[in-house]
Amino acid sequence: IESSHVLVVGLGGVGSHTAHMLARSGVGYIRMVDFDQVTLSSLNRHAVATLKDVGLPKAIVLAHHLREICPDEKKLVLDPVVKMYTGDKERDVSMMDPPSERCQRWDLVIDAIDDVPTKANLIAYCAKRGIRVISCMGAGGKADPTRVHISDLRSASKDPLATSVRQKLRYLWKKEQKDTGEQNGKKSGDESDYWLSCIDDDSKVAIVYSSEKVVAKLAQITDEQKEEGLHNFGAMDNMRVRVLPVVGTMPAIMGQTLAAMALCELGGKPFRPVGAERVGRNVRHKLYQHLCNREKKIEQKLKSTVTDQNRNTSNDPEFRGQYTPDGTYIGPVQIDADDVEYIMAELWRNKCAVTGVGLGTVMSLVRWDRTRPAAPDNLVLMCSKAVVKFDQDWEELGDGRNGVEEERRRKIEGRLKMCALEAEIF
């Protein structure tokens, strides 16, 4: 953590709390970017600003307060930038460049911007360069802390800001293709292998968002504002003048969530967020029954190939069962219906491990390695389309895993390994 270099863009209610905690936790270098000034209305949610800071640049105010926490400039390097990120190389100059004398690439970028075009430009910039981003969606007009989740951008389906950002990213991608006239080896419209895959891949862009429905609307423009002219109230041209009421706790919670995820990753101890969507008892039961029926069909198909020397009478549940001459395990399913929720939500985050699609399509639990039993560390959640291809590849390639793209297979097997390690601990 001490040797980490983090870029925080947006220092309002969310970003100020994130930067504050990163500094307190020992991050060695923090560049803090924001063009705006501290306002009277923002004091209810800003992490450190006081009344005397009103009218001063947020980046400078935050740097001043953080320096009081850690006076040692060698232990904590603060790099405040009073400028708006635009995505335009000429206007941004070296804002996004890491300190070359210390590192060649940012370890992490924190996106706490509340403007859609700017937010999308930042995510696109990082996705093209393989820079890890943790981004926060809307905190205004919300109050319920139990509705805060971490997911990929597509799964943040109940957040209007996330929807707008996804649309803007697709627009940027299509515009880039049109302007360059290149497909980079990909078919037109194919998002899976190009930088736009960051929408579905939380290892590239993780999203902190609230699934709570916005409970407040934009504040009405006052008669005074109308008389003086609305252009006098915007921080920047083309920026929203009307404000969204904010309960001060929500930006703080979301900012601390960004910081928690960042610190765990920087410290080499990342956690796996639990999926926001939960499935009902009936769905879990059906998934379990479908797994049992699938395993029964495999057993019926291959049982005749088992010889006496392939039978195993061990009392150990891990090895109880039979093996075909090619090593395929035939035996009882080693989970129950109550284990399904853990496998779906915590292990696979309610998404197909192969395609990344979420709930809303038919899902199945599939044994990944047929030489081992159907246990939690050997079951993968797949959509129906992926299951069909997986089974076809078993017939044609001898192993369904061989038909899975190499990088995707590596991630799947990494999660299964983590599940096995957790089982050993408990």
Side-chain angles (χ1 to χ4, degrees), residues 165-185:
V165 171
R166 287 196 299 270
Q167 293 172 347
K168 184 63 176 179
L169 285 172
R170 292 192 186 97
Y171 168 78
L172 292 174
W173 179 61
K174 291 177 181 178
K175 184 177 184 297
E176 181 180 272
Q177 285 188 315
K178 183 178 180 180
D179 291 345
T180 60
E182 299 177 358
Q183 299 298 325
N184 293 296

PDB file of all heavy atoms in Angstrom, residues 165-185:
ATOM      1  N   VAL A 165     -24.029   5.944 -18.497  1.00  0.00           N
ATOM      2  CA  VAL A 165     -22.604   5.716 -18.745  1.00  0.00           C
ATOM      3  C   VAL A 165     -22.416   4.570 -19.737  1.00  0.00           C
ATOM      4  O   VAL A 165     -21.580   4.640 -20.645  1.00  0.00           O
ATOM      5  CB  VAL A 165     -21.854   5.435 -17.429  1.00  0.00           C
ATOM      6  CG1 VAL A 165     -20.421   4.975 -17.713  1.00  0.00           C
ATOM      7  CG2 VAL A 165     -21.829   6.681 -16.558  1.00  0.00           C
ATOM      8  N   ARG A 166     -23.189   3.496 -19.581  1.00  0.00           N
ATOM      9  CA  ARG A 166     -23.103   2.380 -20.534  1.00  0.00           C
ATOM     10  C   ARG A 166     -23.413   2.850 -21.948  1.00  0.00           C
ATOM     11  O   ARG A 166     -22.729   2.481 -22.917  1.00  0.00           O
ATOM     12  CB  ARG A 166     -24.075   1.259 -20.129  1.00  0.00           C
ATOM     13  CG  ARG A 166     -23.657   0.458 -18.928  1.00  0.00           C
ATOM     14  CD  ARG A 166     -24.447  -0.840 -18.834  1.00  0.00           C
ATOM     15  NE  ARG A 166     -25.872  -0.613 -18.695  1.00  0.00           N
ATOM     16  CZ  ARG A 166     -26.512  -0.473 -17.544  1.00  0.00           C
ATOM     17  NH1 ARG A 166     -25.828  -0.507 -16.417  1.00  0.00           N
ATOM     18  NH2 ARG A 166     -27.819  -0.301 -17.504  1.00  0.00           N
ATOM     19  N   GLN A 167     -24.466   3.637 -22.084  1.00  0.00           N
ATOM     20  CA  GLN A 167     -24.849   4.146 -23.399  1.00  0.00           C
ATOM     21  C   GLN A 167     -23.750   5.022 -23.984  1.00  0.00           C
ATOM     22  O   GLN A 167     -23.437   4.934 -25.179  1.00  0.00           O
ATOM     23  CB  GLN A 167     -26.158   4.929 -23.283  1.00  0.00           C
ATOM     24  CG  GLN A 167     -27.357   4.068 -22.928  1.00  0.00           C
ATOM     25  CD  GLN A 167     -28.603   4.895 -22.637  1.00  0.00           C
ATOM     26  OE1 GLN A 167     -28.543   6.120 -22.470  1.00  0.00           O
ATOM     27  NE2 GLN A 167     -29.747   4.228 -22.568  1.00  0.00           N
ATOM     28  N   LYS A 168     -23.156   5.868 -23.164  1.00  0.00           N
ATOM     29  CA  LYS A 168     -22.088   6.756 -23.633  1.00  0.00           C
ATOM     30  C   LYS A 168     -20.853   5.962 -24.043  1.00  0.00           C
ATOM     31  O   LYS A 168     -20.198   6.291 -25.053  1.00  0.00           O
ATOM     32  CB  LYS A 168     -21.737   7.754 -22.534  1.00  0.00           C
ATOM     33  CG  LYS A 168     -20.703   8.798 -22.939  1.00  0.00           C
ATOM     34  CD  LYS A 168     -21.207   9.693 -24.061  1.00  0.00           C
ATOM     35  CE  LYS A 168     -20.199  10.791 -24.374  1.00  0.00           C
ATOM     36  NZ  LYS A 168     -20.663  11.659 -25.476  1.00  0.00           N
ATOM     37  N   LEU A 169     -20.522   4.924 -23.292  1.00  0.00           N
ATOM     38  CA  LEU A 169     -19.371   4.096 -23.638  1.00  0.00           C
ATOM     39  C   LEU A 169     -19.575   3.411 -24.980  1.00  0.00           C
ATOM     40  O   LEU A 169     -18.640   3.331 -25.794  1.00  0.00           O
ATOM     41  CB  LEU A 169     -19.123   3.057 -22.545  1.00  0.00           C
ATOM     42  CG  LEU A 169     -18.500   3.575 -21.248  1.00  0.00           C
ATOM     43  CD1 LEU A 169     -18.493   2.483 -20.190  1.00  0.00           C
ATOM     44  CD2 LEU A 169     -17.092   4.093 -21.490  1.00  0.00           C
ATOM     45  N   ARG A 170     -20.775   2.904 -25.224  1.00  0.00           N
ATOM     46  CA  ARG A 170     -21.056   2.275 -26.520  1.00  0.00           C
ATOM     47  C   ARG A 170     -20.941   3.298 -27.649  1.00  0.00           C
ATOM     48  O   ARG A 170     -20.441   2.985 -28.733  1.00  0.00           O
ATOM     49  CB  ARG A 170     -22.451   1.640 -26.505  1.00  0.00           C
ATOM     50  CG  ARG A 170     -22.569   0.441 -25.583  1.00  0.00           C
ATOM     51  CD  ARG A 170     -23.871  -0.309 -25.824  1.00  0.00           C
ATOM     52  NE  ARG A 170     -24.051  -1.367 -24.843  1.00  0.00           N
ATOM     53  CZ  ARG A 170     -24.774  -1.245 -23.739  1.00  0.00           C
ATOM     54  NH1 ARG A 170     -25.386  -0.096 -23.478  1.00  0.00           N
ATOM     55  NH2 ARG A 170     -24.897  -2.248 -22.893  1.00  0.00           N
ATOM     56  N   TYR A 171     -21.419   4.511 -27.388  1.00  0.00           N
ATOM     57  CA  TYR A 171     -21.319   5.570 -28.399  1.00  0.00           C
ATOM     58  C   TYR A 171     -19.847   5.873 -28.702  1.00  0.00           C
ATOM     59  O   TYR A 171     -19.457   6.002 -29.874  1.00  0.00           O
ATOM     60  CB  TYR A 171     -22.022   6.828 -27.897  1.00  0.00           C
ATOM     61  CG  TYR A 171     -21.720   8.052 -28.730  1.00  0.00           C
ATOM     62  CD1 TYR A 171     -22.349   8.262 -29.957  1.00  0.00           C
ATOM     63  CD2 TYR A 171     -20.782   8.997 -28.292  1.00  0.00           C
ATOM     64  CE1 TYR A 171     -22.047   9.379 -30.724  1.00  0.00           C
ATOM     65  CE2 TYR A 171     -20.484  10.110 -29.051  1.00  0.00           C
ATOM     66  CZ  TYR A 171     -21.114  10.294 -30.269  1.00  0.00           C
ATOM     67  OH  TYR A 171     -20.809  11.394 -31.030  1.00  0.00           O
ATOM     68  N   LEU A 172     -19.019   5.985 -27.676  1.00  0.00           N
ATOM     69  CA  LEU A 172     -17.605   6.269 -27.865  1.00  0.00           C
ATOM     70  C   LEU A 172     -16.914   5.164 -28.646  1.00  0.00           C
ATOM     71  O   LEU A 172     -16.055   5.425 -29.501  1.00  0.00           O
ATOM     72  CB  LEU A 172     -16.918   6.452 -26.505  1.00  0.00           C
ATOM     73  CG  LEU A 172     -17.315   7.690 -25.691  1.00  0.00           C
ATOM     74  CD1 LEU A 172     -16.661   7.643 -24.315  1.00  0.00           C
ATOM     75  CD2 LEU A 172     -16.926   8.966 -26.423  1.00  0.00           C
ATOM     76  N   TRP A 173     -17.293   3.931 -28.344  1.00  0.00           N
ATOM     77  CA  TRP A 173     -16.700   2.779 -29.023  1.00  0.00           C
ATOM     78  C   TRP A 173     -17.054   2.770 -30.512  1.00  0.00           C
ATOM     79  O   TRP A 173     -16.192   2.595 -31.377  1.00  0.00           O
ATOM     80  CB  TRP A 173     -17.176   1.495 -28.336  1.00  0.00           C
ATOM     81  CG  TRP A 173     -16.657   0.240 -28.954  1.00  0.00           C
ATOM     82  CD1 TRP A 173     -15.354  -0.142 -29.068  1.00  0.00           C
ATOM     83  CD2 TRP A 173     -17.436  -0.811 -29.532  1.00  0.00           C
ATOM     84  NE1 TRP A 173     -15.270  -1.371 -29.674  1.00  0.00           N
ATOM     85  CE2 TRP A 173     -16.539  -1.804 -29.963  1.00  0.00           C
ATOM     86  CE3 TRP A 173     -18.795  -1.015 -29.704  1.00  0.00           C
ATOM     87  CZ2 TRP A 173     -16.953  -2.979 -30.575  1.00  0.00           C
ATOM     88  CZ3 TRP A 173     -19.214  -2.183 -30.305  1.00  0.00           C
ATOM     89  CH2 TRP A 173     -18.313  -3.148 -30.733  1.00  0.00           C
ATOM     90  N   LYS A 174     -18.336   2.976 -30.807  1.00  0.00           N
ATOM     91  CA  LYS A 174     -18.775   2.987 -32.204  1.00  0.00           C
ATOM     92  C   LYS A 174     -18.172   4.163 -32.963  1.00  0.00           C
ATOM     93  O   LYS A 174     -17.792   4.036 -34.138  1.00  0.00           O
ATOM     94  CB  LYS A 174     -20.296   3.037 -32.256  1.00  0.00           C
ATOM     95  CG  LYS A 174     -20.964   1.761 -31.770  1.00  0.00           C
ATOM     96  CD  LYS A 174     -22.482   1.884 -31.769  1.00  0.00           C
ATOM     97  CE  LYS A 174     -23.130   0.600 -31.259  1.00  0.00           C
ATOM     98  NZ  LYS A 174     -24.612   0.712 -31.192  1.00  0.00           N
ATOM     99  N   LYS A 175     -18.082   5.311 -32.301  1.00  0.00           N
ATOM    100  CA  LYS A 175     -17.488   6.493 -32.934  1.00  0.00           C
ATOM    101  C   LYS A 175     -16.016   6.245 -33.234  1.00  0.00           C
ATOM    102  O   LYS A 175     -15.508   6.618 -34.296  1.00  0.00           O
ATOM    103  CB  LYS A 175     -17.631   7.707 -32.016  1.00  0.00           C
ATOM    104  CG  LYS A 175     -17.122   9.018 -32.626  1.00  0.00           C
ATOM    105  CD  LYS A 175     -17.372  10.181 -31.683  1.00  0.00           C
ATOM    106  CE  LYS A 175     -16.947  11.501 -32.324  1.00  0.00           C
ATOM    107  NZ  LYS A 175     -15.491  11.530 -32.596  1.00  0.00           N
ATOM    108  N   GLU A 176     -15.335   5.608 -32.322  1.00  0.00           N
ATOM    109  CA  GLU A 176     -13.918   5.303 -32.520  1.00  0.00           C
ATOM    110  C   GLU A 176     -13.727   4.366 -33.711  1.00  0.00           C
ATOM    111  O   GLU A 176     -12.822   4.563 -34.531  1.00  0.00           O
ATOM    112  CB  GLU A 176     -13.347   4.662 -31.257  1.00  0.00           C
ATOM    113  CG  GLU A 176     -11.875   4.322 -31.349  1.00  0.00           C
ATOM    114  CD  GLU A 176     -11.377   3.686 -30.082  1.00  0.00           C
ATOM    115  OE1 GLU A 176     -10.961   4.419 -29.171  1.00  0.00           O
ATOM    116  OE2 GLU A 176     -11.416   2.437 -29.983  1.00  0.00           O
ATOM    117  N   GLN A 177     -14.587   3.359 -33.813  1.00  0.00           N
ATOM    118  CA  GLN A 177     -14.500   2.438 -34.943  1.00  0.00           C
ATOM    119  C   GLN A 177     -14.734   3.159 -36.267  1.00  0.00           C
ATOM    120  O   GLN A 177     -14.041   2.926 -37.254  1.00  0.00           O
ATOM    121  CB  GLN A 177     -15.527   1.314 -34.783  1.00  0.00           C
ATOM    122  CG  GLN A 177     -15.153   0.278 -33.739  1.00  0.00           C
ATOM    123  CD  GLN A 177     -16.091  -0.903 -33.765  1.00  0.00           C
ATOM    124  OE1 GLN A 177     -17.303  -0.741 -33.831  1.00  0.00           O
ATOM    125  NE2 GLN A 177     -15.541  -2.091 -33.728  1.00  0.00           N
ATOM    126  N   LYS A 178     -15.720   4.044 -36.265  1.00  0.00           N
ATOM    127  CA  LYS A 178     -16.058   4.780 -37.482  1.00  0.00           C
ATOM    128  C   LYS A 178     -14.932   5.732 -37.875  1.00  0.00           C
ATOM    129  O   LYS A 178     -14.569   5.842 -39.052  1.00  0.00           O
ATOM    130  CB  LYS A 178     -17.353   5.564 -37.270  1.00  0.00           C
ATOM    131  CG  LYS A 178     -17.825   6.317 -38.505  1.00  0.00           C
ATOM    132  CD  LYS A 178     -19.139   7.032 -38.221  1.00  0.00           C
ATOM    133  CE  LYS A 178     -19.606   7.799 -39.463  1.00  0.00           C
ATOM    134  NZ  LYS A 178     -20.898   8.506 -39.204  1.00  0.00           N
ATOM    135  N   ASP A 179     -14.366   6.423 -36.887  1.00  0.00           N
ATOM    136  CA  ASP A 179     -13.313   7.404 -37.159  1.00  0.00           C
ATOM    137  C   ASP A 179     -12.026   6.753 -37.637  1.00  0.00           C
ATOM    138  O   ASP A 179     -11.335   7.290 -38.506  1.00  0.00           O
ATOM    139  CB  ASP A 179     -13.030   8.230 -35.899  1.00  0.00           C
ATOM    140  CG  ASP A 179     -14.190   9.149 -35.537  1.00  0.00           C
ATOM    141  OD1 ASP A 179     -15.066   9.349 -36.400  1.00  0.00           O
ATOM    142  OD2 ASP A 179     -14.220   9.644 -34.385  1.00  0.00           O
ATOM    143  N   THR A 180     -11.693   5.599 -37.058  1.00  0.00           N
ATOM    144  CA  THR A 180     -10.433   4.940 -37.423  1.00  0.00           C
ATOM    145  C   THR A 180     -10.589   4.014 -38.614  1.00  0.00           C
ATOM    146  O   THR A 180      -9.611   3.705 -39.293  1.00  0.00           O
ATOM    147  CB  THR A 180      -9.887   4.127 -36.242  1.00  0.00           C
ATOM    148  OG1 THR A 180     -10.845   3.121 -35.864  1.00  0.00           O
ATOM    149  CG2 THR A 180      -9.621   5.030 -35.041  1.00  0.00           C
ATOM    150  N   GLY A 181     -11.832   3.560 -38.826  1.00  0.00           N
ATOM    151  CA  GLY A 181     -12.063   2.622 -39.917  1.00  0.00           C
ATOM    152  C   GLY A 181     -11.442   1.275 -39.672  1.00  0.00           C
ATOM    153  O   GLY A 181     -11.182   0.498 -40.583  1.00  0.00           O
ATOM    154  N   GLU A 182     -11.163   0.996 -38.399  1.00  0.00           N
ATOM    155  CA  GLU A 182     -10.531  -0.271 -38.025  1.00  0.00           C
ATOM    156  C   GLU A 182     -11.423  -1.048 -37.081  1.00  0.00           C
ATOM    157  O   GLU A 182     -12.165  -0.479 -36.299  1.00  0.00           O
ATOM    158  CB  GLU A 182      -9.176  -0.015 -37.348  1.00  0.00           C
ATOM    159  CG  GLU A 182      -8.178   0.698 -38.252  1.00  0.00           C
ATOM    160  CD  GLU A 182      -6.887   0.981 -37.510  1.00  0.00           C
ATOM    161  OE1 GLU A 182      -6.827   0.640 -36.313  1.00  0.00           O
ATOM    162  OE2 GLU A 182      -5.960   1.525 -38.123  1.00  0.00           O
ATOM    163  N   GLN A 183     -11.297  -2.353 -37.170  1.00  0.00           N
ATOM    164  CA  GLN A 183     -12.048  -3.224 -36.262  1.00  0.00           C
ATOM    165  C   GLN A 183     -11.131  -3.917 -35.271  1.00  0.00           C
ATOM    166  O   GLN A 183     -11.574  -4.628 -34.400  1.00  0.00           O
ATOM    167  CB  GLN A 183     -12.802  -4.306 -37.066  1.00  0.00           C
ATOM    168  CG  GLN A 183     -13.818  -3.734 -38.031  1.00  0.00           C
ATOM    169  CD  GLN A 183     -14.908  -2.968 -37.337  1.00  0.00           C
ATOM    170  OE1 GLN A 183     -15.316  -3.334 -36.258  1.00  0.00           O
ATOM    171  NE2 GLN A 183     -15.381  -1.894 -37.943  1.00  0.00           N
ATOM    172  N   ASN A 184      -9.804  -3.684 -35.416  1.00  0.00           N
ATOM    173  CA  ASN A 184      -8.836  -4.314 -34.520  1.00  0.00           C
ATOM    174  C   ASN A 184      -9.027  -5.827 -34.442  1.00  0.00           C
ATOM    175  O   ASN A 184      -8.902  -6.439 -33.387  1.00  0.00           O
ATOM    176  CB  ASN A 184      -8.924  -3.707 -33.113  1.00  0.00           C
ATOM    177  CG  ASN A 184      -8.475  -2.254 -33.090  1.00  0.00           C
ATOM    178  OD1 ASN A 184      -7.312  -1.961 -33.358  1.00  0.00           O
ATOM    179  ND2 ASN A 184      -9.395  -1.363 -32.804  1.00  0.00           N
ATOM    180  N   GLY A 185      -9.376  -6.406 -35.574  1.00  0.00           N
ATOM    181  CA  GLY A 185      -9.514  -7.850 -35.613  1.00  0.00           C
ATOM    182  C   GLY A 185     -10.808  -8.369 -35.065  1.00  0.00           C
ATOM    183  O   GLY A 185     -11.007  -9.565 -34.942  1.00  0.00           O
TER     184      GLY A 185
END
